[in-house]
Amino acid sequence: MTVVGRESGCVIVDSSSMRDANSMNYNVFISYESKGLGFAKNLYTALKKAGYSVFLDCYDMHTTPNWLEQARMVIENCKCFICILTTDDGPTSKNVLSELKVANDLEKKGLLSILLFEPARFDRKKWEEAMSGAKDVPRLLKKRLIEGSYFVFENAADLVDQVVRELTNLGPVSPLLAGEAVAGMWQAGIERVFKSRRADGEKLAREIAKQIKDSTEIRMMGNSLRDFFCENAPYRGIVDESLKKQMPPRYMLLLLNPLSPAAKDRAIVENGLKVEDDRAYLECGVFKDAFNTAEYVIEKIKEGKDIQVKFSSVTPTFYMIRTDRYTFVESYHMGQLAHVGVHVPDDDINMVCIGGYMPVFMVKNDSTFGCFLKSHFDFLWNKGDWITKLYKELEQFKKNPIEYRRKQFIEEFLSKGKHLVDRDWLSGEFRSLI
């Protein structure tokens, strides 16, 4: 027998392939629009071969006038709900919306994960406009669909690759993460986890770009934030595009002070004792990246952009981007990568302290986790030095590092030594000696 269709409320399938939806617990539920049936069938076949227990109505549902009740029972017992959207001129089919509503209620409780996929040719702006005006879509579901994260696929094979990768990333329980673990992440305020900046760079960039696009204020913290502000940086375009807007966002950047002992210590960890010599330190990444970021920012400030920058003398413990709704955070790594026991590029194998290899958490700002992250940023921000003051010092240091360090030593001694020695000697005889 052949599939009659979903919109009729009745799914008819070949009886040899039918199974009672109540008799099995499925790991994955595939939801699709009629135009996406081909994608859904191809994905179903691939996931079955990979060992997943998959539900697709045209293969697994009985002929029934009450398909939604049967679908609900399956969705309530699955761990992952995959939705393939293919129609961009409307708020999608009623059946898909009904299935999504069930899944969305469960996702809010941390009982399953929703993965939304759309083809590259999908007109998201057109679709969001149609969805925003839809009167028959529940408000919370509409919010989830418009503000949620989407995966873009080029073709059927690419869809399979992305789904398998995401299912693998969901966790250690084969083949999917147990509901309790998902609930724990949700309760902690973690909306999404990226494997790392290096492994999920494009995916992370899309999500960050999306959040920055819709934000009025962006706070960033890192050693130099070179991924965003140095020439040819992978995320540089995200910042440039946001600053071209008629109402660009306000940026607050907190960087490691490259003239601080903490920065020199980090450079030694990364590059060895040779950078104890300031002439070698000038050429290492810690200093050059911070200086290049400062140059970029100074230019943008001259153009009238709302970018505030401070330098902290405390080594950042993590890399952070905070938008209006979410904070992206990654812990920095300490320890020689050669001893970690994982594959890393040859250029990094001898590195000791580096970012980009640890997972990146996408944290909801209104969660406890998100509030602590903001407090951490605010504490260091209040203790930082403004770029207008420090940039002049960076230029002086770059011009003559030996003379700069000499003046720095004298100023520190005058500041701290006044409690230890006679004031008249400090102001008279000591000054004559220097």
Side-chain angles (χ1 to χ4, degrees):
M1 302 176 70
T2 58
V3 179
V4 170
R6 308 177 80 208
E7 297 305 325
S8 64
C10 177
V11 180
I12 302 177
V13 301
D14 184 344
S15 59
S16 64
S17 65
M18 288 193 303
R19 286 173 289 182
D20 185 353
N22 293 318
S23 66
M24 290 188 65
N25 288 329
Y26 295 85
N27 294 131
V28 182
F29 185 101
I30 300 176
S31 181
Y32 63 94
E33 296 174 303
S34 57
K35 290 182 180 180
L37 179 59
F39 290 126
K41 285 185 174 181
N42 185 71
L43 178 61
Y44 175 89
T45 301
L47 293 181
K48 292 282 288 183
K49 288 181 179 179
Y52 291 91
S53 176
V54 190
F55 180 91
L56 184 64
D57 61 4
C58 63
Y59 293 138
D60 298 292
M61 188 178 284
H62 276 304
T63 303
T64 173
N66 193 5
W67 64 268
L68 180 58
E69 185 57 34
Q70 207 173 102
R72 178 191 298 276
M73 288 188 289
V74 176
I75 296 170
E76 287 176 347
N77 287 287
C78 77
K79 301 300 182 187
C80 183
F81 181 95
I82 294 172
C83 182
I84 306 171
L85 298 174
T86 49
T87 305
D88 56 18
D89 57 357
T92 201
S93 76
K94 292 181 179 179
N95 290 345
V96 171
L97 286 172
S98 297
E99 293 164 353
L100 273 165
K101 184 178 184 306
V102 175
N104 189 51
D105 291 341
L106 294 169
E107 186 185 50
K108 287 187 293 183
K109 299 175 183 178
L111 299 177
L112 60 66
S113 298
I114 295 178
L115 300 178
L116 302 169
F117 291 86
E118 61 187 40
R121 63 180 182 275
F122 196 82
D123 188 336
R124 167 136 298 279
K125 184 176 180 180
K126 180 180 178 182
W127 185 88
E128 287 183 354
E129 289 175 353
M131 178 61 70
S132 297
K135 297 180 179 180
D136 57 343
V137 182
R139 182 180 62 83
L140 291 179
L141 176 58
K142 187 182 298 186
K143 179 180 175 68
R144 172 66 175 85
L145 291 174
I146 293 176
E147 298 180 357
S149 302
Y150 286 78
F151 299 94
V152 179
F153 62 92
E154 297 292 336
N155 49 47
D158 185 40
L159 173 62
V160 171
D161 289 342
Q162 291 198 52
V163 169
V164 170
R165 183 168 62 248
E166 291 306 312
L167 294 182
T168 302
N169 288 341
L170 280 177
V173 180
S174 181
L176 291 172
L177 182 65
E180 184 177 352
V182 176
M185 288 173 54
W186 184 264
Q187 291 162 6
I190 300 173
E191 176 83 8
R192 187 175 176 186
V193 179
F194 298 87
K195 190 173 181 180
S196 70
R197 273 189 282 159
R198 293 169 185 263
D200 284 341
E202 291 185 7
K203 192 188 306 179
L204 178 61
R206 285 198 301 268
E207 188 60 55
I208 291 175
K210 176 183 175 182
Q211 297 304 327
I212 286 180
K213 178 183 176 182
D214 299 329
S215 294
T216 57
E217 181 180 272
I218 296 99
R219 302 183 183 205
M220 296 184 173
M221 180 173 70
N223 288 307
S224 64
L225 297 172
R226 63 185 177 190
D227 284 356
F228 286 90
F229 299 101
C230 291
E231 191 173 358
N232 299 319
Y235 302 155
R236 173 79 168 260
I238 296 175
V239 176
D240 289 341
E241 284 301 312
S242 71
L243 293 175
K244 291 177 184 177
K245 293 168 59 177
Q246 186 175 2
M247 294 289 289
R250 173 193 187 195
Y251 278 89
M252 297 173 66
L253 313 181
L254 186 59
L255 311 176
L256 175 61
N257 182 349
L259 301 178
S260 67
K264 178 59 83 73
D265 289 343
R266 180 180 175 89
I268 292 172
V269 168
E270 289 187 4
N271 301 277
L273 293 175
K274 63 182 181 181
V275 295
E276 284 190 333
D277 184 332
D278 281 327
R279 290 165 294 187
Y281 177 62
L282 283 173
E283 300 303 318
C284 78
V286 171
F287 181 85
K288 288 175 68 175
D289 291 339
F291 188 81
N292 290 337
T293 295
E295 280 191 315
Y296 173 90
V297 169
I298 289 293
E299 279 301 311
K300 294 302 177 183
I301 291 175
K302 289 179 180 177
E303 294 173 10
K305 304 302 182 184
D306 190 1
I307 304 180
Q308 299 183 10
V309 185
K310 282 191 173 184
F311 288 89
S312 171
S313 295
V314 179
T315 302
T317 52
F318 50 76
Y319 171 94
M320 187 180 94
I321 300 100
R322 183 182 178 89
T323 63
D324 284 359
R325 297 181 65 236
Y326 295 102
T327 298
F328 299 84
V329 60
E330 169 206 332
S331 174
Y332 280 127
H333 171 265
M334 293 292 290
Q336 192 166 0
L337 293 177
H339 299 156
V340 176
V342 298
H343 173 72
V344 295
D346 292 340
D347 291 344
D348 293 344
I349 197 66
N350 294 317
M351 301 297 279
V352 176
C353 179
I354 199 167
Y357 283 104
M358 301 295 283
V360 178
F361 295 104
M362 181 176 171
V363 181
K364 289 178 283 189
N365 287 349
D366 58 1
S367 67
T368 300
F369 191 180
C371 291
F372 271 112
L373 292 173
K374 180 179 181 297
S375 175
H376 183 94
F377 180 96
D378 290 345
F379 179 81
L380 293 177
W381 177 265
N382 291 333
K383 292 180 175 294
D385 296 316
W386 288 103
I387 188 173
T388 48
K389 171 181 179 293
L390 195 69
Y391 186 65
K392 293 178 181 178
E393 294 186 28
L394 290 175
E395 290 183 310
Q396 293 170 6
F397 178 78
K398 193 173 182 182
K399 184 178 180 180
N400 191 332
I402 295 175
E403 178 64 20
Y404 177 86
R405 291 298 190 193
R406 177 176 171 272
K407 290 182 178 179
Q408 185 183 51
F409 168 78
I410 292 170
E411 289 175 1
E412 287 183 0
F413 186 86
L414 290 173
S415 174
K416 298 177 181 178
K418 63 185 179 183
H419 303 294
L420 305 175
V421 297
D422 183 77
R423 289 185 181 181
D424 294 336
W425 182 83
L426 275 177
S427 60
E429 187 176 344
F430 177 74
R431 286 192 179 276
S432 66
L433 289 175
I434 61 174

